[in-house]
Amino acid sequence: MIKAIVKKYRKWILIYLFLGILTNFLYCWNVIVFQQIIDSCQTVPLLENLRSSIILYGLILLSANIMAYLQNYPEKYLENAIVEQLKLMSLEKISKIEYKDYQEIGTGKIVQLIENGASSGADIIFAFFLRIFSDLLPSIVFSMIFIGTLNIKIMFILGLSYIFVFVISQLLMKKLYRYKEKLLNRQEEKSSYSIRSFMELVVFRLNKQYQNEINKIEKSAKDIVNTECKIIMIHEAFFSIFELLVIIIKIFILTIGISNIIAGNTTIGILVALVSLIDRVYSPIAIFNVLYVQYKLNKFSYNRLVDFIGRKDDKNLYCGKQIYGDIGTIEIKNLYYSYKSVLGFSDMNLLIQKGQTVAFVGESGSGKSTLVKLICGLLKKQQGSIFIDGTDIDAIELDSYYEHLAYLSQDTAVFDGTIRENIVFEEVISDDEIYKYLKEVNLYEKVKSLKNKLDTRIGERGIQLSGGERQRLALARVMANKKDILILDEATSALDTVNEQMIINHIMRSMEKSTIIMVAHRIQSIKNADMIIVFKDFKINGIGTFDVLIRTNQYFQELWDRGERL
């Protein structure tokens, strides 16, 4: 990922590096010119003779200041662009990641993982690598070179002192690793608790669980604060140790330097220059130690993001045979699917003809939704075949398949946007046509009563609407799209019986040429289906029309007798 980012922003990186290197050279050169001016004052009685040196000194300071100012733009540009690029790469991964991996991680952890990883990645690329080569390394190198021209022994002493501090930093690094890992785990845990508490108000409020959630978040927050403080204190220990060492070096140089000035072996200008250049060596080395520690710690967060982005893509999403024309026949042969040794489909066979309205019926956990996700290509079969108009789904480019497929689950598929966007996305459709679909799902009067009508924002996950209204809005979308295959996975679970039956009738009438698969929430609502498939323990228990099954299938009769809700 780092290589890709460096390649994308190489122009700005080169500008940033050039300005940083030039600025540091000018600041170090400025110290030498200042030293020459001081020493010249001792031998040249007239200030006029120093005019050229003073002008040069002023020009160097002015140029360094201008370069430092110009560096601000590429600095801020890169600092923010890298974070946004890493987030964009994460979103691209989500668009291609295998569905089961997405389910395993969970939304809350993914959000925190991306936030931590993007921030850490930017710190690694910008605050560590780019800053080292633009600022710290040039300052150290130029300062050490100029110190070497003044006193080679002091240059070696500084080098040895840095090695000493670096060794100490390595001894403390393992402790910091443990703290950082604990911090990341707590942050992801807290994010998971927070997101579910924010999103599921009704669940937690009515079950009186908010205090428990608050207690969990509070405990995680305390651990985060304490761990952050420990990390900061260890960081500061690195800085303090090195600062103490440099103070000792400065006192040593001042003591030796004053003795040499008295003996006539050096000059005041050289002593001043050495002390000034030592500051320019000390600051970047001390900062480097802190940055290096932070770099090692950031790798925890960044590597998690790298692992996430490195997860397997859905290989069929953009590869395979493209689908053209109308489709709708679905044939399943010898299907085998299980997950983590849990009971699944074994040697299953089923044929759904184009244009049929088919209902899946069965108790919760009987395999209905799993089969739907296999037909959608979200889950991957282990053996057997799922043919879409004669082509195995593993050989189909899913992106082209989704041009012909509409899917709605019981987790209502609405998003934070306007009513218009939730029906047509970016497509341009007249208001009259949109209102026609809203009438068919009994939302016309509701939308017309809103101040901004179709341009009303419905909030995150449609929070401004009721559960039934969210489902009806999503159903208006699938009716507007008119796909060849429509799959409704308990997509009417929040509707009352009257609205559900009315909308299903509208869908069956307006999409009579499409293949419709409905995972039934109420048996009553699918009585008119062309075919009902009864599932039990991931096996087909019966196939037929309602009239046939209610007479011949005992398990279906039991489901009917229990009540209309499955």
Side-chain angles (χ1 to χ4, degrees), residues 355-370:
Q356 277 190 317
T357 296
V358 177
F360 292 174
V361 173
E363 293 175 300
S364 177
S366 60
K368 308 184 299 295
S369 294
T370 300

Side-chain angles (χ1 to χ4, degrees), residues 11-225:
K11 179 183 76 173
W12 286 109
I13 289 172
L14 289 173
I15 292 172
Y16 178 75
L17 291 175
F18 171 76
L19 291 173
I21 292 169
L22 182 57
T23 300
N24 279 283
F25 172 76
L26 291 173
Y27 277 129
C28 290
W29 185 22
N30 149 71
V31 173
I32 298 302
V33 173
F34 185 67
Q35 172 254 318
Q36 292 170 352
I37 291 172
I38 291 176
D39 288 342
S40 296
C41 288
Q42 296 175 304
T43 58
V44 182
L46 297 176
L47 185 60
E48 287 79 4
N49 296 333
L50 296 173
R51 186 170 298 160
S52 59
S53 295
I54 293 172
I55 291 172
L56 176 61
Y57 176 74
L59 288 173
I60 292 172
L61 283 177
L62 179 63
S63 300
N65 188 55
I66 292 172
M67 294 299 105
Y69 170 75
L70 293 176
Q71 196 183 20
N72 284 323
Y73 188 88
E75 176 181 322
K76 289 303 174 186
Y77 182 88
L78 288 169
E79 193 175 359
N80 291 290
I82 291 170
V83 172
E84 297 306 320
Q85 182 61 27
L86 286 169
K87 289 182 179 180
L88 184 61
M89 292 169 74
S90 302
L91 181 59
E92 289 174 350
K93 167 52 63 176
I94 289 174
S95 74
K96 298 182 289 186
I97 194 172
E98 284 207 349
Y99 178 73
K100 65 179 181 62
D101 285 349
Y102 175 79
Q103 281 186 311
E104 280 179 5
I105 302 171
T107 306
K109 287 188 176 180
I110 286 177
V111 170
Q112 192 64 50
L113 181 150
I114 292 173
E115 285 295 328
N116 284 338
S119 176
S120 297
D123 283 345
I124 288 172
I125 297 169
F126 178 79
F128 185 69
F129 286 114
L130 291 184
R131 192 171 177 192
I132 284 173
F133 289 105
S134 173
D135 184 19
L136 305 186
L137 193 58
S139 180
I140 293 170
V141 170
F142 291 136
S143 297
M144 293 292 273
I145 289 172
F146 284 123
I147 287 172
T149 63
L150 299 174
N151 192 312
I152 194 72
K153 291 181 180 179
I154 292 175
M155 183 184 76
F156 283 117
I157 290 172
L158 286 172
L160 291 172
S161 67
Y162 174 66
I163 293 172
F164 170 73
V165 172
F166 189 78
V167 169
I168 292 176
S169 70
Q170 293 305 299
L171 297 176
L172 296 174
M173 193 68 71
K174 289 182 180 179
K175 196 173 188 68
L176 279 171
Y177 286 162
R178 290 197 298 271
Y179 283 139
K180 187 66 174 182
E181 187 172 18
K182 179 182 177 182
L183 177 65
L184 291 174
N185 288 332
R186 284 289 181 265
Q187 285 177 333
E188 290 178 6
E189 182 184 80
K190 177 174 172 287
S191 176
S192 179
Y193 289 145
S194 297
I195 287 178
R196 74 184 193 182
S197 300
F198 295 151
M199 301 303 298
E200 304 299 339
L201 180 145
V202 175
V203 173
F204 287 103
R205 180 179 291 180
L206 296 190
N207 287 280
K208 299 196 293 185
Q209 290 299 308
Y210 260 118
Q211 190 56 52
N212 289 334
E213 292 295 294
I214 290 169
N215 291 340
K216 290 175 184 176
I217 294 171
E218 185 178 26
K219 184 178 182 300
S220 293
K222 285 180 180 178
D223 286 342
I224 288 170
V225 171

Side-chain angles (χ1 to χ4, degrees), residues 443-543:
L443 267 183
Y444 177 80
E445 297 296 335
K446 167 75 175 183
V447 174
K448 274 290 190 179
S449 69
L450 298 173
K451 180 181 178 182
N452 295 317
K453 298 185 170 52
L454 292 175
D455 296 314
T456 300
R457 298 194 69 86
I458 63 172
E460 189 171 9
R461 296 184 68 185
I463 195 67
Q464 302 297 331
L465 303 176
S466 69
E469 288 169 343
R470 290 196 293 270
Q471 286 195 335
R472 280 182 276 159
L473 181 60
L475 288 162
R477 181 197 306 145
V478 300
M479 294 176 72
N481 289 335
K482 288 187 170 61
K483 303 287 187 175
D484 296 329
I485 299 173
L486 171 61
I487 298 177
L488 303 176
D489 187 0
E490 297 194 19
T492 58
S493 58
L495 302 184
D496 59 80
T497 304
V498 174
N499 267 312
E500 181 183 42
Q501 195 61 59
M502 179 196 70
I503 292 170
I504 287 175
N505 290 340
H506 276 308
I507 289 173
M508 292 174 65
R509 193 163 51 248
S510 64
M511 301 181 69
E512 60 181 354
K513 294 182 179 180
S514 300
T515 302
I516 301 173
I517 299 174
M518 295 184 291
V519 177
H521 182 63
R522 302 179 181 92
I523 292 182
Q524 180 70 31
S525 65
I526 46 88
K527 287 181 69 174
N528 296 326
D530 299 321
M531 181 169 64
I532 297 173
I533 296 116
V534 184
F535 288 87
K536 184 178 183 181
D537 297 330
F538 282 82
K539 289 181 173 58
I540 294 178
N541 182 268
I543 299 178

Side-chain angles (χ1 to χ4, degrees), residues 334-449:
N334 306 318
L335 175 66
Y336 176 85
Y337 175 82
S338 66
Y339 180 64
K340 291 185 177 180
S341 301
V342 176
L343 175 69
F345 295 111
S346 179
D347 198 30
M348 178 185 178
N349 294 276
L350 178 66
L351 176 63
I352 300 173
Q353 298 285 2
K354 176 177 170 55
Q356 277 190 317
T357 296
V358 177
F360 292 174
V361 173
E363 293 175 300
S364 177
S366 60
K368 308 184 299 295
S369 294
T370 300
L371 182 58
V372 158
K373 289 182 173 67
L374 286 163
I375 292 172
C376 289
L378 294 171
L379 297 177
K380 307 298 178 183
K381 57 186 171 57
Q382 277 101 27
Q383 294 176 22
S385 302
I386 299 175
F387 293 106
I388 308 298
D389 275 32
T391 303
D392 194 293
I393 195 167
D394 288 345
I396 292 174
E397 181 193 82
L398 292 177
D399 200 48
S400 71
Y401 177 39
Y402 296 151
E403 290 288 330
H404 304 265
L405 172 71
Y407 166 74
L408 279 183
S409 70
Q410 59 184 327
D411 300 322
T412 311
V414 295
F415 52 87
D416 187 5
T418 65
I419 291 173
R420 185 193 306 277
E421 289 169 338
N422 268 275
I423 295 175
V424 300
F425 293 105
E426 302 297 325
E427 191 177 348
V428 178
I429 294 180
S430 69
D431 289 2
D432 289 342
E433 192 169 357
I434 295 174
Y435 280 124
K436 182 187 77 172
Y437 297 119
L438 290 173
K439 284 179 181 178
E440 292 182 345
V441 296
N442 202 18
L443 267 183
Y444 177 80
E445 297 296 335
K446 167 75 175 183
V447 174
K448 274 290 190 179
S449 69

Side-chain angles (χ1 to χ4, degrees), residues 234-276:
I234 296 175
H235 279 188
E236 291 302 314
F238 291 134
F239 192 86
S240 298
I241 290 169
F242 195 79
E243 185 175 17
L244 178 62
L245 188 62
V246 172
I247 289 171
I248 294 171
I249 293 172
K250 279 186 177 181
I251 292 172
F252 171 77
I253 290 172
L254 284 172
T255 303
I256 299 300
I258 291 170
S259 299
N260 286 333
I261 289 171
I262 294 171
N265 295 328
T266 189
T267 66
I268 295 173
I270 289 175
L271 181 60
V272 171
L274 284 171
V275 173
S276 298

